[in-house]
Amino acid sequence: MGSFGDPSFTLQVSVGISKAHTPNWATASRTPQLLHRQAQFPPVTDREAGGSSPVPGLWGDFRCRRRHLLLQSLTRDSVSDCGDGSSASGARLTGLGQKPGGAQEKPIELPAAATAAAAAAARAAAALADDTQARGGGVGRAWVARADDVWRLERFDSMASVALSEAEKVYIVHGVQEDLRVDGRGCEDYRCIEVETDVVSNTSGSARVKLGHTDILVGVKAEMGTPKLDKPNEGYLEFFVDCSANATPEFEGRGGDDLGTEIANTLYRIFNNKGSVDLKSLCISPREHCWILYVDVLLLECGGNLFDAISIAVKAALFNTRIPKVRVIEDEEGTKDIELFDDPYDCIRLSVENVPCIVTLCKIGCRHVVDATLQEEACSLASLLVSVTSKGVVTCMRKVGKGSLDPESIFEMMEVRL
Amino acid sequence: MAGLELLSDQGYRVDGRRAGELRKIQARMGVFAQADGSAYIEQGNTKALAVVYGPHEIRGSRARALPDRALVNCQYSSATFSTGERKRRPHGDRKSCEMGLQLRQTFEAAILTQLHPRSQIDIYVQVLQADGGTYAACVNAATLAVLDAGIPMRDFVCACSAGFVDSTALADLSHVEEAAGGPQLALALLPASGQIALLEMDARLHEDHLEQVLEAAARAARDVHTLLDRVVRQHVREASILLGD
């Protein structure tokens, strides 16, 4: 079966690298986006590479270090092993899926591990060479055949995403299988979440959430309006998601509209139940006046796991929301007047106890991770989005992404959430 | 003027400032890791964010590429919750388009575009909270972001607004002063040479007063320059400490 969740995928590699060719990421021409990403990482010196503990929050550094080491070992090994030993036709390796990542196991011991597991290194070098060849048009030839796993370099249709090379993907997937991700987290660890409320003063409530490199600003504005016909004694929430060009240039103009609508629809869905917010408290006078809460989400930076970060930000902003208290006064002729209370601090606060948060589980290889970074999202074909309240009630569930999921793996993933 | 006195007899404005006084400016560079350059600025209650990508290859149609210089692409958007009344669209309306165009003109005058032929520089500004002087805040934030991206410029671009009330020129108008409907002038200055990158004035003003208002705006822009320069130096100092130099 060709499911991507199958652990025993095979990767057949045949290498034919001439002596003259050394795969080198620095010189190979890469897509501007990748180049751009590389340029941001500070240069790694050998002194730095010797350091050990990963610094949480500085995943960029850590990742860079790992990649740098991989690079070092690969260039060295590919010259010594592939270059010398297999210049004619190269090594043929099969079934590497079962023997995941000798080279990728521990970032710090990488050079040693790579020299020992020369085969693994050669395989990765081949993939790397393939990548370099494809982009840079070098001297040698390399060919990577994929048996039953789809490892195409594709982008989500409307998601902000990064382009990853074959080798990078293999590296990430093997890391996930070993429960060690590129930034040193385990499969079920979140990045550090920073929440800040009351950040924009001309809103009723606002919050900013930073989750790794994902940065979300949410503003809630309460405006008076008429209740919906089918719910005459309830107020309602309106969601709007603005994918600003700040996050990625792809969102310029109308580029972010699709993603924005998708996220807004998801938010409507997770709030589409009686328990989430007490909408009756938003009613001022039935059929005539109610509060409409405009929840505006602004994407400032995308670093993966947008849905979770947005749901946390929305919850924090609703918690921060203060709606002014009003009373309806009716005079003799029956005309109604709305009067604002004198004390500006006398206001309604919403109970957010039952507001759900989204947990996105990304299927990568045969495992699933929470809080995936952009790079990890690029490796995953499908993910499961579960919105759950603090009491464990599921309010919405969605599968996102272009791949397919096993019914069994859905239940497996659901367990993680609980 | 009905109701509100914009300038008291003692020479104080509504928020307690003197005529030529700026609001408090706080700025930070390098707020985002993924962009090439970014900056955040607060001028009183106006808060703006600027992000710069580039110089990179031309995105979209290649026909837009300029053979002798870089294309400066600007987008202005203002968060739906930034204004007192909720906005329906963050960008794409007439005001945003005009603002984007003005920013583009301003930065084409300042960036040494001829150093990057056939490439593109994206400047995206986002107003998070609007309380008057959004154009000025955007230009100042964008300057810091361009500097953060390391794109060569002739000079800082410092912008400030100015108004005219009771035969006195007021610098750095707040929302209340803007809404009162007097003449408004927006000025973007290259402070070292004293050149004007953008000048725009709306409403009616007698020619004799123009020089006075212009002078007030230019002085305020120079003050802004002093502050921005301090921010940049501070940022470079911190960055060099982090790099261990």
Side-chain angles (χ1 to χ4, degrees):
Chain A
M1 195 185 91
S3 138
F4 70 91
D6 194 350
S8 62
F9 68 88
T10 38
L11 188 73
Q12 282 199 328
V13 186
S14 94
V15 204
I17 305 176
S18 70
K19 265 185 182 170
H21 177 69
T22 312
N24 186 347
W25 281 14
T27 52
S29 86
R30 302 165 65 83
T31 62
Q33 214 172 356
L34 272 165
L35 245 180
H36 155 74
R37 221 149 40 79
Q38 249 187 349
Q40 282 163 17
F41 295 138
V44 179
T45 59
D46 286 359
R47 178 168 51 86
E48 266 183 300
S52 52
S53 68
V55 190
L58 286 176
W59 70 272
D61 279 356
F62 187 54
R63 184 195 150 76
C64 176
R65 194 177 298 157
R66 272 187 87 180
R67 186 203 272 175
H68 179 76
L69 286 167
L70 178 67
L71 205 85
Q72 265 188 345
S73 63
L74 286 182
T75 35
R76 197 186 303 135
D77 288 336
S78 59
V79 174
S80 58
D81 294 68
C82 313
D84 296 342
S86 57
S87 55
S89 67
R92 193 170 181 86
L93 306 157
T94 22
L96 281 159
Q98 284 95 331
K99 192 191 158 205
Q104 282 109 353
E105 209 166 54
K106 289 222 178 77
I108 306 306
E109 296 155 19
L110 217 145
T115 342
R123 178 249 325 162
L128 197 68
D130 174 50
D131 175 45
T132 357
Q133 306 287 308
R135 292 160 196 276
V139 204
R141 276 202 347 252
W143 173 70
V144 180
R146 290 166 291 271
D148 54 0
D149 216 303
V150 194
W151 286 107
R152 234 167 286 128
L153 199 144
E154 275 181 31
R155 323 181 65 144
F156 285 119
D157 294 331
S158 57
M159 273 284 190
S161 62
V162 287
L164 288 188
S165 67
E166 246 15 77
E168 282 175 298
K169 284 191 173 184
V170 170
Y171 181 50
I172 289 174
V173 174
H174 285 182
V176 167
Q177 273 176 354
E178 300 280 297
D179 199 16
L180 182 67
R181 291 153 75 179
V182 275
D183 42 10
R185 288 182 288 157
C187 283
E188 290 168 20
D189 296 337
Y190 264 83
R191 288 169 287 183
C192 183
I193 306 173
E194 283 174 48
V195 184
E196 205 181 331
T197 53
D198 228 352
V199 279
V200 184
S201 61
N202 50 13
T203 55
S204 310
S206 58
R208 182 196 176 200
V209 166
K210 236 172 122 63
L211 177 66
H213 279 195
T214 305
D215 205 332
I216 311 285
L217 186 65
V218 174
V220 179
K221 263 185 182 301
E223 281 185 14
M224 227 177 261
T226 41
K228 288 183 173 163
L229 284 174
D230 50 343
K231 283 165 189 162
N233 52 0
E234 285 181 12
Y236 57 96
L237 276 75
E238 286 279 359
F239 294 98
F240 175 75
V241 181
D242 176 19
C243 300
S244 75
N246 283 22
T248 144
E250 289 161 43
F251 290 158
E252 198 191 332
R254 310 193 65 85
D257 286 7
D258 289 346
L259 180 63
T261 320
E262 191 197 334
I263 298 174
N265 286 343
T266 309
L267 286 173
Y268 275 118
R269 211 164 302 163
I270 72 169
F271 279 92
N272 183 21
N273 60 75
K274 287 207 173 66
S276 299
V277 184
D278 180 21
L279 295 173
K280 292 214 167 67
S281 66
L282 297 176
C283 180
I284 300 165
S285 64
R287 282 187 300 281
E288 280 164 4
H289 297 288
C290 71
W291 287 109
I292 306 166
L293 295 185
Y294 289 99
V295 181
D296 294 316
V297 179
L298 180 61
L299 245 73
L300 295 177
E301 202 178 14
C302 293
N305 206 13
L306 278 181
F307 286 93
D308 295 19
I310 286 173
S311 72
I312 294 167
V314 168
K315 185 167 180 164
L318 287 175
F319 173 73
N320 184 233
T321 302
R322 288 173 176 83
I323 304 161
K325 264 192 189 153
V326 291
R327 72 177 147 214
V328 183
I329 304 166
E330 205 169 340
D331 60 14
E332 299 87 59
E333 286 124 45
T335 48
K336 284 178 182 169
D337 235 1
I338 293 178
E339 195 189 62
L340 205 66
F341 277 57
D342 293 331
D343 183 9
Y345 293 100
D346 194 13
C347 48
I348 312 172
R349 298 284 296 264
L350 287 172
S351 159
V352 292
E353 203 186 333
N354 292 324
V355 171
C357 278
I358 299 176
V359 177
T360 311
L361 296 141
C362 257
K363 185 94 179 170
I364 297 180
C366 60
R367 293 189 69 146
H368 40 263
V369 299
V370 296
D371 191 20
T373 60
L374 269 189
Q375 285 77 13
E376 285 164 341
E377 274 173 6
C379 294
S380 127
L381 288 169
S383 43
L384 190 70
L385 191 148
V386 186
S387 88
V388 58
T389 65
S390 55
K391 289 181 187 135
V393 180
V394 179
T395 65
C396 165
M397 204 164 98
R398 264 188 76 192
K399 193 226 95 189
V400 283
K402 56 190 179 305
S404 50
L405 282 177
D406 250 338
E408 281 151 45
S409 67
I410 288 183
F411 290 109
E412 205 176 287
M413 283 153 107
M414 291 283 287
E415 270 166 39
V416 173
R417 165 196 63 82
L418 299 168
Chain B
M1 185 79 41
L4 200 65
E5 192 185 35
L6 290 180
L7 194 66
S8 72
D9 298 336
Q10 289 77 30
Y12 289 105
R13 290 154 69 176
V14 179
D15 46 9
R17 284 183 288 159
R18 291 278 188 187
E21 208 177 323
L22 293 174
R23 290 175 290 178
K24 187 181 182 187
I25 294 183
Q26 281 181 309
R28 234 171 60 223
M29 292 169 75
V31 283
F32 294 136
Q34 286 179 342
D36 292 322
S38 56
Y40 171 75
I41 200 165
E42 284 181 16
Q43 288 188 243
N45 278 329
T46 301
K47 296 171 185 169
L49 198 62
V51 170
V52 170
Y53 288 93
H56 54 74
E57 254 179 89
I58 295 271
R59 221 167 336 96
S61 86
R62 301 253 158 175
R64 294 197 304 152
L66 304 169
D68 57 338
R69 62 200 159 91
L71 179 82
V72 180
N73 174 38
C74 293
Q75 182 179 290
Y76 167 92
S77 67
S78 144
T80 41
F81 49 78
S82 64
T83 46
E85 191 114 322
R86 182 178 178 270
K87 284 182 61 172
R88 287 198 47 239
R89 290 174 69 187
H91 49 80
D93 55 337
R94 201 182 56 81
K95 195 200 163 207
S96 306
C97 292
E98 189 196 350
M99 207 67 122
L101 210 65
Q102 288 182 347
L103 280 170
R104 180 178 172 170
Q105 284 174 0
T106 312
F107 280 93
E108 271 178 344
I111 295 174
L112 298 171
T113 46
Q114 68 276 15
L115 296 180
H116 306 284
R118 284 182 292 279
S119 47
Q120 178 177 356
I121 297 167
D122 291 318
I123 303 175
Y124 301 122
V125 289
Q126 176 92 47
V127 173
L128 303 178
Q129 192 173 327
D131 182 36
T134 47
Y135 169 75
C138 287
V139 169
N140 296 336
T143 304
L144 292 179
V146 172
L147 286 170
D148 187 38
I151 296 170
M153 287 208 287
R154 277 191 193 87
D155 195 359
F156 280 74
V157 202
C158 298
C160 198
S161 59
F164 194 72
V165 171
D166 298 340
S167 62
T168 316
L170 306 182
D172 195 14
L173 302 182
S174 69
H175 176 69
V176 181
E177 289 160 338
E178 274 185 4
Q184 258 181 65
L185 179 128
L187 174 80
L189 194 74
L190 305 174
S193 53
Q195 302 263 329
I196 290 171
L198 186 117
L199 175 68
E200 191 165 88
M201 203 198 70
D202 34 6
R204 221 166 63 121
L205 182 72
H206 195 278
E207 197 192 337
D208 294 351
H209 300 313
L210 182 63
E211 202 185 331
Q212 192 191 344
V213 181
L214 200 60
E215 183 52 42
R219 206 180 310 118
R222 287 206 184 84
D223 291 343
V224 171
H225 171 245
T226 319
L227 290 165
L228 295 190
D229 190 60
R230 203 179 293 159
V231 171
V232 174
R233 283 176 199 280
Q234 178 69 26
H235 177 76
V236 171
R237 205 174 304 128
E238 278 167 14
S240 62
I241 289 168
L242 285 177
L243 287 173
D245 296 343

